[in-house]
Amino acid sequence: GATTVSAFHIPTGERQVAVMNDTSYVPNDHNVGALLVRPDGRYLTVYAGHNADHLMRYRISEQPGDISAWSDEKTADVGARNTYSNVYRLGATGQTWNFHRGIGWNPNYMISDDEGETWRHGGRLLAYAGRPYVRYTSDNHYRIHFITTEGHPRDSNNSIYHGFIEHGHLFTSDGQHVGPLSTSDQSDYIPQHFTKVYTGDARNVAWTSDIRLDPYGHPY
């Protein structure tokens, strides 16, 4: 059940493991945290138990490029049981975002204006009864992309939808404006408001796996 950060030094084969939290959670793969390299080279890790409580937890390494020593664990209340941390920093604004499953069992986001030292609830990305499964990526400058299902594949004949966030607004794949990003615990948006990239049915039920950007910024 421990949440850890591990390092593997390729030239020498040296391995390190640093324990972030080994007392709060029952064993579950969803407890695994997200990692981000801050502009100063220090690591930020953000993690939460799988629907264990209302807290996201986070720590920052004391030295750049070194996982051997970390700040004490801090917490932020996200307003609901939560899991699945996804952390990105937008260079255009200097803000760090953590997308997670939170309020309504839906994707929500937290924002930090000080490189992950403190956090506040930003809003709710989607409001949908089907518990969407979302994957994210970013150009690390001003845009965050996401793909999402309607729900868990045992509950829904999922399709896959794509959209992106830019300057506080939501868009479809071709840049059509969907609306302003929610800044509250409610949202006007559902997966079907975005671009369908795969049509599911009872014999072809989809689930999100990963999304990345090519050298031109196009998602795949």
Side-chain angles (χ1 to χ4, degrees):
T3 299
T4 64
V5 174
S6 300
F8 178 69
H9 188 57
I10 294 172
T12 66
E14 179 189 2
R15 305 185 204 190
Q16 288 178 281
V17 178
V19 176
M20 300 294 102
N21 185 306
D22 64 356
T23 61
S24 298
Y25 312 129
V26 296
N28 193 296
D29 61 305
H30 299 162
N31 300 345
V32 173
L35 279 170
L36 181 75
V37 182
R38 303 188 343 160
D40 62 4
R42 296 160 68 195
Y43 300 123
L44 166 70
T45 184
V46 179
Y47 48 95
H50 186 221
N51 300 319
D53 54 34
H54 288 204
L55 300 178
M56 94 175 212
R57 292 172 164 83
Y58 59 100
R59 296 176 72 172
I60 298 170
S61 67
E62 293 187 0
Q63 298 296 328
D66 182 0
I67 71 163
S68 61
W70 294 76
S71 66
D72 292 338
E73 183 182 81
K74 295 182 180 179
T75 62
D77 192 330
V78 306
R81 291 189 297 169
N82 68 109
T83 191
Y84 302 136
S85 300
N86 300 268
V87 184
Y88 303 94
R89 183 184 187 276
L90 297 180
T93 64
Q95 290 181 324
T96 304
W97 299 55
N98 175 35
F99 290 88
H100 61 278
R101 177 195 284 167
I103 295 169
W105 291 66
N106 279 186
N108 288 246
Y109 64 96
M110 301 285 283
I111 289 181
S112 173
D113 297 307
D114 54 10
E115 310 297 351
E117 300 283 352
T118 60
W119 295 83
R120 57 184 170 83
H121 185 256
R124 183 169 172 176
L125 178 61
L126 303 172
Y128 194 68
R131 192 170 46 150
Y133 278 77
V134 192
R135 299 287 187 173
Y136 307 88
T137 193
S138 177
D139 64 2
N140 301 316
H141 183 54
Y142 60 87
R143 184 176 290 183
I144 296 170
H145 294 259
F146 61 90
I147 51 174
T148 182
T149 67
E150 293 100 334
H152 194 287
R154 66 170 170 253
D155 302 322
S156 177
N157 296 332
N158 289 329
S159 296
I160 301 290
Y161 305 86
H162 167 262
F164 65 86
I165 302 163
E166 184 176 318
H167 300 309
H169 290 260
L170 290 160
F171 298 88
T172 59
S173 298
D174 58 358
Q176 293 188 49
H177 185 231
V178 177
L181 185 64
S182 167
T183 56
S184 74
D185 61 1
Q186 302 297 317
S187 175
D188 295 328
Y189 311 115
I190 60 176
Q192 291 88 339
H193 284 139
F194 300 94
T195 301
K196 184 186 285 188
V197 296
Y198 179 84
T199 300
D201 57 42
R203 298 175 66 88
N204 299 279
V205 182
W207 209 352
T208 54
S209 178
D210 202 6
I211 178 174
R212 289 289 185 267
L213 302 179
D214 70 12
Y216 303 99
H218 301 151
Y220 64 91

